[in-house]
Each structure stands twice: as C-alpha cells, then as structure tokens.
Amino acid sequence: MKRRDFIKTAAFAGALAGGTAAAFPAPAIAKGLRKWNMTTTWPKNFPGLGTGAAKIAEFITKASDGRLSVDVYGAGELVPAFDAIDAVGNGSVEMGHGASYYWKGKTPAAQFISSIPFGLVAQEQNAWIYYGGGQALCDEVYATMGCKFFSGGNSGTQMGGWYNREINSIADYKGLKLRMPGLGGEVARAAGATVVNIPGGELLTSMQSGTIDALEWVGPYNDLAFGFHKAAKYYYYPGWHEPNAILDCFVNLKAFGELPADLQEIVTIACQAATVNMTSEMAARSGSALARLRGEFKVDVRPFPREVLKELKTLSRKVINDIAAGDALSQKILASLEKFQKEQMDYTDIAERAMLDARAL
Amino acid sequence: MKRRDFIKTAAFAGALAGGTAAAFPAPAIAKGLRKWNMTTTWPKNFPGLGTGAAKIAEFITKASDGRLSVDVYGAGELVPAFDAIDAVGNGSVEMGHGASYYWKGKTPAAQFISSIPFGLVAQEQNAWIYYGGGQALCDEVYATMGCKFFSGGNSGTQMGGWYNREINSIADYKGLKLRMPGLGGEVARAAGATVVNIPGGELLTSMQSGTIDALEWVGPYNDLAFGFHKAAKYYYYPGWHEPNAILDCFVNLKAFGELPADLQEIVTIACQAATVNMTSEMAARSGSALARLRGEFKVDVRPFPREVLKELKTLSRKVINDIAAGDALSQKILASLEKFQKEQMDYTDIAERAMLDARAL
C-alpha cells in the first residue's frame, strides 16, 4: 500500500504540510481498504453542484463496498476552492470536483472544455467526450496538471442571468457591471461590459447594493436557492455563454494509476453515471423552480432580442479564436469541438430541435 | 450460493428446461464468483442497441472484477427476442435488454415507459426517471413481470422515417402501409394508415418489394447501417412518435435481491452510465451518418409539414388517453409523465430550445 492510503481525514492538515500521517488501522490495510479525499470548489452539498460531487463519492464508495471510500470536502475545508487542481495535481488530495475554466491560469486549454459560447449543448458535449475524441483530448489537457479528467456532471443549458438593466441592443452592454466568468465573460467584455468575478456567496448582496448590474449563475433551481429574484428585475434567456457546462472530476494521475483495474472502472462509470444524474437533477428541479419563479414571485422572464444574440454570436467567434490563438493545445481542442459541432448541429436541428418545435405547435 | 449461480452458459439449455445445471467450478464458488446471462431483443452487437447492451455487461464485469460476470446473447440465442421478459421474469435468465413497449402484451402500462408521441425528449425523460418519480413507477410496472427496471440506454429523438409516398397532409396517411411499432403506430393507424410490424432484418426487402410504403427505425446512424436509403425516396423528420426512446435493462427481481449491496450498486450505476453512453454513441455517429446520407447518397431529408404535425399531436393525445383508459397503472404512469412534461416543457423552451434557436441565427 502507498503512503496515500494511510492518510486519515483527521491527519489531513499534517499530511498536506508534509507531516507523518497517522497509521491507517491494521485490519483495514489487510482488507485492501483505500480512503480518498475529494476537494470541491463548492460549499459542501451545495444544490446541484455539491450534491453532484457527493453523488460521485457515494457511487464509488458503495460500488466498491468501501474498498475505495471517498470523503467529500467543501471549498476551503481542505484547500481554498481554486487551489483544488494544485492539491490534486501534487497528490496531497486524490480527487477534486469543479469546472474546467477555473484552471485556465494553469493551462489555457482548460477553459475550452467546460463550455463554449454558442457551442455544444449537453447531449452533444457528452457525445464529444465519449464518442467524439473528447476524452483523450481532455486527458491531454489535465495531464499537464498531473490529473486524469472525467466529466463529473453537466448543468445543461444555463440561463442568461439576472439583470437590473434592460438589454435591447448590443450597445446596452456598454458599461454594464456584469458578473460572468469564463469565455462568456470575455465576450461580454468585448461588447463593452465591465466584467467582474465575485464568489457565489456574495452575489446577492452585490446585486442589492448596486455593485453589479447583472449576474449569471446557473439556472432556475440554483438561482432560486440563492434568491436572486429578490434583487433583480429581469431574468434573461438563453444562456448563450454556457449552452452546457461540464463539471470536471479530476483525479491525481499517480493515484488513479495505482488503483486496481476494477476500482479504476468503478471510478470511470461512477463519473459517467454522475454526468447524467446531475443534468437530470438540475432539469427536474429547474422545472418546478421556474414554475415558482413565474407564479409565486412574478419574475419577468424574457428572451434576449434576436439581434443581440446574433451580434454576440459573431463577437464570440472572434473572441474565442483570439484567446486560442496563442496556445497550440487550445487550438487543438477548439478545432476538434468546431468540427464536431458542425456535424452535430445539422443532426440536432432535425432531431431534438425539430421535435421541440413540433411539440410546441 | 443459489442454484442460479451454478448455471453455466454451456448448460443453459438444460437449465431452461429445468434440467440440472453442471456444477460451477469449486474455486469460483469459493471466491464468490457469479455468472449471469443477458438475453437481448437485438442481434448481438447490433449498432447502438446491441453495443449498448454489451456496454452494460462490460461495465458490470470489469467494475466487479468478474465477481459478477455478464454474458450477452443476441435475440434467439437463448430465447426468441420477445420472450426475453418471460425468461428473465421466471429467473431462467438473470438479465435482459430491450424496449418497454415490447412488453405491453404482458403489462399494458409498459408501453407508456419507452416513449410517448410528442412527449419527453431524452434529457427530460432521464430527469423523470432519476428525479421525477419515474424509477419507482417503472419498478412498479416491472415488478408485475417479476423484474427490476433500469434505464439501459436512450436513442434520443428518432427520425420520422423513410417514405416512398409524400406526406403533404394528414390525408396522405390513409392507406399508407407503414411499419411503426408502439403508441406511434396506434396514432398512425387512427390517422388511417395500415400499420404493420416487421422485424428489423426484413425491413429493407419489404420496402424494396413494395410490401410497405414507409418505415421508421431509429436515426441516421442505425438507418444508414441498414441501407434504407437504397429503397426509399424521402427521409422525414422529426420522429414525433418517439421524441426519445428508453431502452430497458430488466433484472430478475429475486436475482437482484440476492446480490450483495456493492454488486447491486454496480448494476445500478452501470445502467445509469450506459444510459448516457448510448445516447452519446447514437448522437456522435448520427452526425457523421447524416453528413454521408446527404452528401454521398443525396438523400431527400425533409420535415413533415407543420399542419400534419399539429393534427398528429391532437390525434396522439386522444389515442394515448383511450389506450390508457382501461388500466389503472397505465393511467398512473401517464398522469405522472403529463404533469412532469408540463413543467419541463416550460423550462426546456427557455433553456435547450431557446439556445438551439439562438445558435442557428
């Protein structure tokens, strides 16, 4: 057994600091029991995202009968949210859960994995990961950070966000104080917005105090939980900046390599199951949350104007290509996604999209 | 260990007939090794459907390190395709893979699980199964057949099908010799079509000989594999009759109950992973198949006219309610699906659907 397997939760701080971890009980070692920690970028059991991470841990622990037992920690409990990739990359934590674009400072290509403005929707993104060459490309990106990549959830198409200023033309983005991370934020910046990044927990007060004019978070289920309807006039759709959003589950490369093949397979299928599980939870709960937002809170739910979306789409292509331009791996990911999207769009247009239109007749 | 665990593949016929199965090797028993058979309604490794069933078996066998090893059999290898539910229900086979509407003769409510014309799309159907009360309702339906239910794949939105007669108005369904199973077939029959059910393997020749005027199968990937473009003039969309189609993985209730908790969890997450895996495979491969159908084979891909879809939608509601009317369990399933769809449609309209529209601008 490796040193990692001896690390107990209680001894974690010492282990992180390089101290000697308390010994794992002898009977546990004899049975080949492994204990892993998962550090997440969300508060523990945060709706949809934290519960999605917990689902992966639950699947792995139950399916392995505790031979690989995973304990989940919220942001800041083991390491700060955005240090998760470093902690997992250097092996002080075995597993992490977050969103790829959080790691663009380490590996620029990571930001192209989570979501692309006007890019793939969830079903297409899954198709790219599992059957479109995506898994190998994502593994290549994460290997530069010492990790193995798994899709560990997907939000589905997000909402456009909560606004206290109307968006009637692209000019309305000028001077808009907007919270929007990722590539979408870069596009909004190019349209003239003042883009800020504020942690989720401070968003409501920032909106109430007028520090920001607008924000995007996830979708009806998560947004209702935060109470953004108390601070904003308009709830815009669609989330052009995040047509889907993969949540990533990353595992220390060495720790994963040292697992026996059956536990590797359990981790792999647990993440694959968690991917559809999270989208399902968010969709099911967003249905009823939207009904409440409309009915109980009389929220003004409105579409971005067609012309605004058209201009944002054109702008997105330019901004995204510019960002990818300086980095070979980013260009490789982007080229793969664009080729895949071209064929998928043609198919989705006559399958899911045509069906959704027919159903609405 | 139970008798079931002693059944060897080679001794299968004898076991089915109630004979004494050959003893399982002693070392295997000591290690707690179980061998299950999966009987499917597809030819072995049939594109998308058979490969999806094989994926479930592979996930389970690898994740359990062979403690539960699943062998997959094509239709007719152990029992005929449509006897699968009986063989699994009576325990002579442990596991099966097919489509719920195949079992409507045994339990009418089963036909409401696979797909409903103008009903849920795949993402919504998964949301219903995992977070909308669907799993418990499906378990209730399958328990009447001695089985536990799992979603074991989803085709996504299917195509409308291959036609040698144009559909310009609902009147064009009159006398149309159409291969379309399930509830969609009942709706087409109500519209005046002569609906026949023909096994997949005979479809191409039936179309070439004029025995049928039209057929639906799955989508571009599967349809190209069968070569229907060689026999039909028009490829219509969308598949209003199957906005999604769950493939079911059913397990003998007693066999499932006798598994230790970790193997139960492995079966559960393997099926959940396989659900998104199949949709991903079909989407990825349908993208390139459609490009080939359009480019290389110059297929005339065309939408059903709006008015036809509108009338089919109205007709569907009536036909479906009539079919459910005589059966309490059918009504219970249908009521749950309809309530769920109402909220989901409102959400999908401003999420996925609005995004697909924005992307196409």
Side-chain angles (χ1 to χ4, degrees), chain A:
Chain A
M1 292 198 77
K2 297 287 143 42
R3 180 177 166 282
R4 173 175 313 105
D5 303 317
F6 291 85
I7 298 178
K8 285 177 70 180
T9 304
F12 188 82
L16 265 187
T20 306
F24 206 71
I29 296 171
K31 284 185 201 156
L33 302 182
R34 283 172 172 82
K35 207 165 175 56
W36 275 14
N37 291 316
M38 181 197 285
T39 184
T40 70
T41 57
W42 335 105
K44 192 159 180 175
N45 285 321
F46 195 66
L49 305 167
T51 52
K55 200 54 107 175
I56 297 174
E58 180 198 319
F59 284 162
I60 294 172
T61 306
K62 281 191 185 170
S64 70
D65 193 22
R67 286 181 301 126
L68 177 57
S69 155
V70 181
D71 285 330
V72 181
Y73 292 88
E77 290 191 280
L78 296 180
V79 295
F82 299 142
D83 291 352
I85 196 83
D86 285 324
V88 174
N90 70 29
S92 52
V93 184
E94 291 83 4
M95 196 170 211
H97 193 265
S100 301
Y101 61 69
Y102 292 159
W103 325 127
K104 69 175 179 178
K106 290 190 73 71
T107 304
Q111 66 194 310
F112 297 93
I113 293 176
S114 341
S115 189
I116 303 261
F118 296 92
L120 303 174
V121 295
Q123 186 164 302
E124 298 166 339
Q125 187 94 17
N126 292 334
W128 179 71
I129 295 277
Y130 300 122
Y131 287 91
Q135 180 68 51
L137 285 169
C138 294
D139 277 337
E140 192 178 339
V141 172
Y142 277 67
T144 67
M145 302 185 282
C147 297
K148 161 116 188 107
F149 167 89
F150 293 102
S151 166
N154 197 306
S155 67
T157 298
Q158 301 204 357
M159 286 292 288
W162 298 87
Y163 284 67
N164 274 328
R165 277 169 53 180
E166 285 188 60
I167 300 292
N168 295 316
S169 82
I170 192 91
D172 291 322
Y173 275 93
K174 289 233 160 34
L176 184 80
K177 288 171 288 178
L178 170 69
R179 186 273 182 189
M180 181 178 280
L183 292 170
E186 297 305 321
V187 176
R189 194 193 311 276
T194 302
V195 178
V196 294
N197 205 347
I198 295 173
E202 296 166 29
L203 283 173
L204 181 61
T205 50
S206 301
M207 196 74 174
Q208 281 168 328
S209 68
T211 305
I212 50 175
D213 305 310
L215 66 90
E216 73 77 44
W217 183 241
V218 183
Y221 168 49
N222 296 75
D223 293 0
L224 174 61
F226 260 145
F228 296 137
H229 56 280
K230 289 182 254 174
K233 288 187 198 152
Y234 315 112
Y235 196 20
Y236 273 101
Y237 67 87
W240 56 268
H241 61 297
E242 289 183 297
N244 89 98
I246 289 186
L247 290 308
D248 59 350
C249 180
F250 40 102
V251 181
N252 177 268
L253 261 180
K254 195 156 168 284
F256 188 74
E258 285 167 4
L259 288 181
D262 59 333
L263 292 182
Q264 287 188 343
E265 184 75 4
I266 284 178
V267 170
T268 304
I269 65 173
C271 287
Q272 199 161 147
T275 294
V276 64
N277 198 288
M278 183 190 288
T279 314
S280 300
E281 180 178 14
M282 290 208 179
R285 298 198 170 149
S286 284
S288 43
L290 179 61
R292 250 189 101 195
L293 287 170
R294 285 196 204 267
E296 187 177 337
F297 301 112
K298 314 287 175 212
V299 167
D300 184 345
V301 182
R302 50 165 72 184
F304 287 114
R306 265 177 76 93
E307 278 312 307
V308 172
L309 289 169
K310 253 175 120 157
E311 293 183 66
L312 287 170
K313 188 180 156 194
T314 306
L315 197 56
S316 293
R317 205 171 299 135
K318 190 192 167 315
V319 169
I320 292 164
N321 285 333
D322 286 353
I323 293 174
D327 180 62
L329 192 47
S330 295
Q331 286 179 309
K332 192 170 160 185
I333 300 270
L334 196 57
S336 168
L337 281 165
E338 280 177 351
K339 181 172 181 293
F340 194 77
Q341 180 167 343
K342 198 168 168 292
E343 276 183 1
Q344 280 294 294
M345 272 184 70
D346 196 26
Y347 169 59
T348 301
D349 275 355
I350 64 167
E352 243 76 7
R353 185 174 171 222
M355 187 64 233
L356 294 176
D357 288 347
R359 206 173 65 168
L361 285 173

Side-chain angles (χ1 to χ4, degrees), chain B:
Chain B
M1 294 200 76
K2 297 285 145 39
R3 179 177 164 282
R4 171 175 317 104
D5 303 320
F6 292 85
I7 298 177
K8 283 178 70 178
T9 304
F12 188 84
L16 265 187
T20 306
F24 205 69
I29 296 171
K31 285 186 201 155
L33 301 183
R34 286 171 169 81
K35 208 164 174 56
W36 274 15
N37 290 316
M38 181 198 284
T39 183
T40 70
T41 57
W42 334 106
K44 191 158 180 175
N45 285 323
F46 194 68
L49 304 167
T51 52
K55 200 51 109 173
I56 297 174
E58 179 198 320
F59 284 163
I60 294 172
T61 306
K62 281 191 184 170
S64 71
D65 193 23
R67 286 181 300 128
L68 177 58
S69 154
V70 180
D71 285 331
V72 181
Y73 291 88
E77 290 190 280
L78 296 179
V79 297
F82 300 142
D83 291 352
I85 197 82
D86 284 326
V88 175
N90 70 29
S92 52
V93 184
E94 292 83 3
M95 199 170 210
H97 194 264
S100 302
Y101 61 70
Y102 292 157
W103 325 128
K104 70 176 180 179
K106 291 191 70 74
T107 305
Q111 67 194 308
F112 297 93
I113 293 175
S114 339
S115 191
I116 303 261
F118 295 93
L120 303 174
V121 294
Q123 185 165 302
E124 298 167 339
Q125 187 93 19
N126 292 335
W128 180 71
I129 295 277
Y130 300 122
Y131 286 91
Q135 180 67 51
L137 285 169
C138 294
D139 277 337
E140 191 178 340
V141 172
Y142 278 66
T144 68
M145 303 184 282
C147 295
K148 160 116 189 106
F149 167 90
F150 292 103
S151 166
N154 197 306
S155 67
T157 298
Q158 301 203 358
M159 286 292 288
W162 299 87
Y163 284 67
N164 274 327
R165 277 170 51 181
E166 285 189 60
I167 300 292
N168 296 315
S169 82
I170 192 92
D172 291 323
Y173 276 93
K174 289 232 159 41
L176 183 80
K177 289 172 286 177
L178 170 68
R179 185 272 182 188
M180 182 178 280
L183 293 170
E186 297 305 321
V187 175
R189 194 193 312 277
T194 303
V195 178
V196 295
N197 205 347
I198 295 174
E202 297 166 30
L203 283 174
L204 182 61
T205 51
S206 301
M207 196 75 174
Q208 281 168 330
S209 67
T211 307
I212 49 176
D213 306 310
L215 67 89
E216 71 79 42
W217 183 241
V218 181
Y221 169 49
N222 296 76
D223 293 1
L224 174 61
F226 261 145
F228 297 136
H229 56 281
K230 290 182 254 175
K233 287 188 197 150
Y234 316 112
Y235 196 21
Y236 274 101
Y237 68 86
W240 55 269
H241 61 297
E242 288 183 298
N244 90 98
I246 288 186
L247 291 307
D248 60 350
C249 180
F250 39 103
V251 181
N252 176 268
L253 261 182
K254 195 155 165 286
F256 188 74
E258 285 167 3
L259 287 182
D262 59 332
L263 293 182
Q264 287 188 341
E265 184 74 4
I266 284 177
V267 171
T268 304
I269 66 173
C271 287
Q272 200 162 144
T275 294
V276 64
N277 198 288
M278 183 189 289
T279 314
S280 300
E281 182 179 12
M282 290 207 178
R285 300 198 169 150
S286 284
S288 43
L290 179 61
R292 249 188 103 193
L293 286 170
R294 286 196 203 266
E296 186 177 338
F297 301 112
K298 312 288 176 214
V299 168
D300 183 346
V301 182
R302 50 166 70 185
F304 288 114
R306 266 176 74 94
E307 279 311 306
V308 172
L309 289 169
K310 254 173 120 159
E311 292 182 67
L312 286 170
K313 188 179 155 192
T314 307
L315 197 56
S316 291
R317 206 171 297 134
K318 190 191 167 314
V319 169
I320 292 163
N321 285 332
D322 285 354
I323 293 174
D327 180 62
L329 191 47
S330 295
Q331 286 178 309
K332 192 169 159 185
I333 300 270
L334 195 57
S336 168
L337 281 165
E338 281 177 349
K339 181 171 180 295
F340 194 76
Q341 181 167 341
K342 195 167 171 292
E343 276 184 1
Q344 280 295 294
M345 272 184 69
D346 195 27
Y347 169 59
T348 300
D349 275 355
I350 65 167
E352 243 76 6
R353 184 175 172 224
M355 186 64 233
L356 295 176
D357 289 346
R359 207 173 62 169
L361 285 173

